[in-house]
């Protein structure tokens, strides 16, 4: 074994060569590991390069704290996502991938939640090599190319081969599909076999992967339920998943402007949870402004918080309860002040 200073110099040398050549990195790290005797090759290598840790347990307490402190007005989403992810990650032998479909108007927190989930599963979050984001209007823009997007044996960048290759590299890969309401119907059914109860497909198991769909579709149904509760004098926290999940799945299935219209994913019950994101009230918008100011390292100025929140527009026309953009424009409005 080397002394502390010599070991440190060797580890630093390995860190320097990491920027040049993977083979050299492996040799250097292997030598450092053998000489120091402190860490295994894999543990040491993973200090310099991102490694897939599919078996790494989920820190449920950290996820719970992130959701409760950073997500506002979404008691249903917080509860369901926490339970779904914890149960899935604690199951050593899941029968299928975890599939979540997040629904609600823009600015209610769907993208933010997918970021929180990614960060709690893979330390680099959305920048991780094992987290993959698809945006419908960017990756699947042309209706006339639906067959190409679905193709199984097309060139390597197509959907099925992309997912197969990434799950082969990391069983715990996360796939996020944004703007599902703008996806051409039929495209998403290309991944249906990967979400089903198969032990393997062509030698690859997809059972430990996670698929997350984000969609504005169903936002009107969610808002109607929330408004009915408000008009009946009931708290939004009284809304339960059973009040929305069934009507949401049916509504999205029959919505021609949804990427899940008549989808086999719903027909075959392959989506584990339809998670509603409720419209945000004035108080939630203020919480968003306060959180953004803290994130920027600024002192919270309540006068600015109120001015930003009051600039937002609210609906319905008479009651003016819910922000029509959620917290979507909070950052830009805060820049103004």
């Amino acid at each position: 074994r080397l002394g502390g200073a010599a070991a440190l110099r060797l580890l630093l040398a390995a860190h320097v060569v990491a920027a040049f050549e993977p083979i050299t990195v492996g040799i250097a790290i292997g030598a450092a590991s053998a000489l120091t005797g402190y860490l295994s090759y894999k543990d040491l290598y993973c200090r310099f390069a991102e490694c897939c840790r599919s078996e790494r347990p989920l820190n449920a307490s950290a996820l719970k704290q992130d959701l409760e402190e950073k997500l506002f007005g979404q008691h249903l989403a917080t509860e369901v996502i926490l339970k779904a992810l914890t149960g899935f990650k604690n199951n050593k032998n899941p029968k299928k991938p975890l599939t979540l479909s997040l629904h609600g108007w823009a600015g209610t927190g769907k993208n933010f939640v997918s970021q929180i989930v990614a960060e709690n599963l893979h330390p680099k979050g959305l920048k991780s090599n094992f987290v993959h984001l698809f945006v419908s209007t960017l990756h699947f823009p042309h209706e006339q190319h639906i067959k190409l997007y679905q193709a199984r044996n097309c060139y390597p960048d197509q959907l099925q081969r992309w997912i197969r290759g990434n799950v082969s590299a990391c069983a715990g890969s996360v796939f996020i599909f944004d703007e599902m309401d703008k996806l051409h119907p039929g495209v998403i059914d290309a991944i249906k076999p990967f979400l089903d109860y198969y032990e393997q497909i062509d030698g690859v198991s997809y059972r430990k992967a996670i698929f997350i769909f984000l969609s504005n579709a169903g936002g009107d149904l969610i808002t109607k339920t929330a408004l009915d509760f408000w008009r009946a004098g009931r708290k939004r926290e009284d809304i339960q998943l059973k009040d929305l999940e069934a009507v949401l799945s049916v509504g999205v299935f029959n919505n021609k402007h949804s990427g899940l219209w008549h989808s086999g994913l719903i027909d075959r019950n392959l989506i584990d949870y339809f998670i509603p994101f409720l419209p945000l009230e004035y108080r939630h918008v203020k919480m968003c402004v306060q959180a953004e100011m803290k994130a920027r390292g600024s002192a919270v100025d309540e006068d600015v918080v109120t001015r930003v929140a009051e600039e937002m527009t609210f609906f319905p026309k008479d009651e003016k309860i819910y922000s029509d953009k959620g917290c979507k424009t909070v950052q830009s409005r805060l820049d103004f002040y």
Side-chain angles (χ1 to χ4, degrees):
R1 298 191 179 192
L2 293 177
L8 178 59
R9 284 195 296 272
L10 191 53
L11 288 176
L12 287 174
H15 182 61
V16 170
V17 298
F20 298 99
E21 186 182 350
I23 295 176
T24 307
V25 174
I27 294 172
I29 291 176
S33 177
L35 289 170
T36 62
Y38 296 134
L39 295 169
S40 70
Y41 172 87
K42 182 175 181 181
D43 289 336
L44 194 55
Y45 180 82
C46 293
R47 292 197 175 193
F48 302 100
E50 185 183 20
C51 292
C52 174
R53 299 289 184 91
S54 294
E55 304 302 327
R56 186 171 70 106
L58 174 71
N59 187 336
S61 297
L63 175 60
K64 183 174 186 289
Q65 183 175 350
D66 279 347
L67 290 170
E68 290 179 348
E69 292 182 358
K70 300 176 181 178
L71 185 65
F72 307 121
Q74 304 299 353
H75 68 285
L76 282 176
T78 296
E79 178 184 5
V80 176
I81 288 170
L82 180 61
K83 289 183 177 180
L85 278 174
T86 302
F88 181 74
K89 292 297 289 183
N90 286 340
N91 186 352
K92 300 298 182 184
N93 186 30
K95 300 301 181 186
K96 66 179 291 297
L98 177 64
T99 308
L100 308 175
S101 193
L102 281 49
H103 297 266
W105 291 131
T108 52
K110 301 185 300 297
N111 289 88
F112 193 40
V113 160
S114 66
Q115 177 183 327
I116 291 173
V117 168
E119 290 171 352
N120 278 269
L121 293 172
H122 298 284
K124 289 189 176 182
L126 295 178
K127 295 180 180 179
S128 170
N129 292 324
F130 313 121
V131 177
H132 312 280
L133 174 64
F134 298 91
V135 181
S136 296
T137 51
L138 176 64
H139 295 101
F140 315 107
H142 305 297
E143 186 173 6
Q144 64 268 31
H145 293 163
I146 288 178
K147 294 297 182 182
L148 182 64
Y149 301 144
Q150 293 175 318
R152 176 170 184 149
N153 295 311
C154 220
Y155 59 88
D157 288 336
Q158 296 312 315
L159 188 53
Q160 284 197 347
R161 295 190 67 177
W162 177 259
I163 291 175
R164 185 184 302 112
N166 282 291
V167 173
S168 298
C170 180
S173 292
V174 178
F175 300 93
I176 302 168
F177 291 82
D178 194 11
E179 297 185 344
M180 282 292 294
D181 50 301
K182 296 179 179 66
L183 183 67
H184 303 295
V187 171
I188 202 63
D189 278 359
I191 70 170
K192 183 167 68 71
F194 304 145
L195 274 57
D196 216 326
Y197 292 82
Y198 297 118
E199 186 171 352
Q200 288 187 348
I201 300 175
D202 295 336
V204 179
S205 173
Y206 297 86
R207 290 182 168 187
K208 293 186 178 181
I210 295 175
F211 293 82
I212 302 174
F213 304 128
L214 313 179
S215 178
N216 290 356
D220 52 343
L221 299 172
I222 297 167
T223 297
K224 181 181 182 303
T225 299
L227 197 56
D228 288 344
F229 269 68
W230 185 86
R231 287 170 174 165
R234 302 173 65 183
K235 297 186 298 183
R236 67 189 282 128
E237 290 76 16
D238 291 336
I239 302 174
Q240 299 179 36
L241 188 62
K242 66 180 181 181
D243 296 317
L244 278 165
E245 190 172 33
V247 67
L248 193 55
S249 64
V250 173
V252 172
F253 183 79
N254 290 316
N255 186 344
K256 290 185 178 181
H257 302 291
S258 166
L260 292 170
W261 179 64
H262 287 186
S263 171
L265 274 60
I266 298 178
D267 196 40
R268 292 287 303 276
N269 297 311
L270 299 180
I271 296 178
D272 299 298
Y273 297 95
F274 288 87
I275 304 176
F277 280 67
L278 303 174
L280 299 183
E281 301 172 9
Y282 176 79
R283 59 190 170 111
H284 301 127
V285 174
K286 292 187 70 173
M287 294 166 77
C288 290
V289 180
Q290 291 166 348
E292 179 62 21
M293 294 181 80
K294 290 177 182 177
R296 297 183 182 195
S298 304
V300 175
D301 184 329
E302 291 300 334
D303 179 56
V304 172
V305 171
T306 300
R307 289 164 72 185
V308 172
E310 288 182 348
E311 280 193 4
M312 308 294 274
T313 53
F314 294 82
F315 72 96
K317 184 177 179 179
D318 295 329
E319 292 100 331
K320 297 188 184 304
I321 308 166
Y322 304 120
S323 169
D324 60 0
K325 295 183 180 68
C327 287
K328 195 80 170 181
T329 59
V330 161
Q331 291 187 2
S332 59
R333 289 179 184 272
L334 194 55
D335 287 338
F336 180 80
Y337 290 101

